[in-house]
Amino acid sequence: MFNVIIKNAKDETLESIECPGDMCAIGKARGNHVMLRGWRVAPQHAEIHRTSEGLFLERVSQKASVEVNGNSVDHYGPLRTADRIHIAGYY
């Protein structure tokens, strides 16, 4: 289990979500652990996986972008507390 904190572009905390298990799905479709709204958010946008080495981010949608600390990524990790994941206006 791990937590994901959702912030807007103004750095205001919108929500803190507890992700059960070793995977957290992010997107706008129902059934994702982290549901984001907006036309730039894919139904299944990204996933965070927990392994013995830490948390790893993976872009799931081929058409949507994911950034970590301002750099576009397909895979990234292990994530650090200071890392900022950017998905369609959310951090």
Side-chain angles (χ1 to χ4, degrees):
M1 201 174 334
F2 56 94
N3 291 329
V4 175
I5 299 170
I6 310 300
K7 294 186 175 193
N8 63 16
K10 296 178 183 178
D11 205 34
E12 300 167 328
T13 299
L14 301 175
E15 193 171 0
S16 179
I17 298 168
E18 189 174 279
C19 292
D22 292 332
M23 193 276 289
C24 189
I26 303 168
K28 67 179 172 185
R30 292 181 188 209
N32 286 303
H33 300 98
V34 178
M35 290 178 37
L36 303 176
R37 299 179 76 193
W39 64 271
R40 294 185 299 162
V41 180
Q44 286 78 35
H45 203 107
E47 294 177 348
I48 299 174
H49 296 271
R50 183 173 60 181
T51 70
S52 60
E53 297 174 8
L55 297 174
F56 290 81
L57 175 70
E58 179 177 353
R59 180 175 62 102
V60 176
S61 173
Q62 296 299 318
K63 296 180 181 181
S65 68
V66 176
E67 294 180 4
V68 177
N69 303 325
N71 299 309
S72 182
V73 298
D74 291 329
H75 305 280
Y76 182 86
L79 290 165
R80 299 176 312 242
T81 304
D83 287 334
R84 291 189 56 110
I85 300 168
H86 179 244
I87 295 176
Y90 295 93
Y91 292 92

